[in-house]
Amino acid sequence: KNEVEQSPQNLTAQEGEFITINCSYSVGISALHWLQQHPGGGIVSLFMLSSGKKKHGRLIATINIQEKHSSLHITASHPRDSAVYICAVRHEKLTFGTGTRLTIIP
Amino acid sequence: NAGVTQTPKFRVLKTGQSMTLLCAQDMNHEYMYWYRQDPGMGLRLIHYSVGEGTTAKGEVPDGYNVSRLKKQNFLLGLESAAPSQTSVYFCASSLQGAVGANVLTFGAGSRLTVL
């Protein structure tokens, strides 16, 4: 079993829809990262969180340490949000999920 | 401020050839990492460095060597390339290591194909 599981693997939605991407992990962690990988391949860090909730623009990330679960939400989704979203957890090393490919259709 | 720069961005090799990927960062970060990304798998750590002159093995180090002679540069070498090393390689850097509360900055990636 992978230490980091993301769901769904692929998600297609209409512009304007509310998006939720989930990340579950099996180890005790010090922090969790959400990353965005653009179609061109570059990887950008969106959030790093160890408790509670963080918000940046239309993006919201939450984490429940007891349940070992985090969610990334996108409000009022737009085609430019189309990307692969990657969850990574920090314990003695950084372990990455396989990513969720999001496609927003105009 | 360039961040993390990887060169080359693309390379095609024949089996048995050697090459070096260069990663350069201008943020004075102590920690640097080389990852590979393969379809259906998460990023996997090849080697990393906690400071100038130091290197350590990650999850998948076989077939690769690294050097960190200068703080700003982290080189990844393939001595005898194999088709299994066809992948996209990402360099990253951070101020602190795995247990530190710190953000990773990634390079744009280097796509390597070994025929």
Side-chain angles (χ1 to χ4, degrees):
Chain A
K1 183 180 185 302
N2 291 336
E3 289 181 337
V4 182
E5 298 275 358
Q6 287 187 239
S7 63
Q9 288 186 325
N10 294 283
L11 177 57
T12 300
Q14 293 287 335
E15 183 174 355
E17 287 189 37
F18 181 81
I19 303 299
T20 296
I21 298 170
N22 297 298
C23 176
S24 296
Y25 53 92
S26 58
V27 295
I29 66 170
S30 59
L32 182 144
H33 296 257
W34 281 103
L35 308 166
Q36 180 191 53
Q37 186 168 23
H38 300 293
I43 299 174
V44 175
S45 180
L46 297 174
F47 294 104
M48 182 180 65
L49 64 166
S50 54
S51 65
K53 176 178 169 178
K54 285 192 176 180
K55 184 175 188 291
H56 181 70
R58 295 179 295 105
L59 301 178
I60 304 166
T62 64
I63 188 168
N64 185 317
I65 296 294
Q66 286 74 28
E67 294 186 5
K68 294 186 168 60
H69 181 268
S70 176
S71 292
L72 177 69
H73 305 285
I74 305 175
T75 61
S77 59
H78 190 277
R80 65 176 173 266
D81 297 324
S82 297
V84 176
Y85 292 85
I86 301 170
C87 167
V89 299
R90 286 190 177 277
H91 42 126
E92 70 268 8
K93 58 177 183 173
L94 195 60
T95 303
F96 294 81
T98 56
T100 294
R101 183 175 300 276
L102 174 65
T103 304
I104 303 298
I105 299 170
Chain B
N1 191 347
V4 177
T5 303
Q6 291 181 229
T7 53
K9 289 186 166 48
F10 301 94
R11 185 74 187 268
V12 178
L13 290 177
K14 294 181 180 178
T15 296
Q17 286 185 316
S18 64
M19 75 157 296
T20 300
L21 295 175
L22 170 63
C23 176
Q25 53 94 4
D26 60 2
M27 299 169 288
N28 203 34
H29 284 177
E30 289 293 334
Y31 288 74
M32 297 186 74
Y33 313 82
W34 275 107
Y35 292 94
R36 60 179 288 173
Q37 185 179 42
D38 300 295
M41 305 184 75
L43 287 156
R44 292 182 293 167
L45 182 64
I46 304 171
H47 285 280
Y48 65 100
S49 169
V50 302
E52 181 179 316
T54 73
T55 63
K57 293 181 180 179
E59 300 171 66
V60 288
D62 293 342
Y64 304 95
N65 56 74
V66 287
S67 65
R68 183 100 180 265
L69 298 179
K70 293 183 179 180
K71 186 177 184 179
Q72 63 267 35
N73 296 336
F74 194 30
L75 278 64
L76 178 71
L78 285 71
E79 290 185 347
S80 179
S84 61
Q85 294 177 303
T86 294
S87 187
V88 180
Y89 292 84
F90 286 94
C91 177
S93 70
S94 65
L95 274 175
Q96 298 175 23
V99 297
N102 202 58
V103 173
L104 280 176
T105 302
F106 284 86
S110 298
R111 183 175 294 275
L112 174 66
T113 302
V114 183
L115 302 175

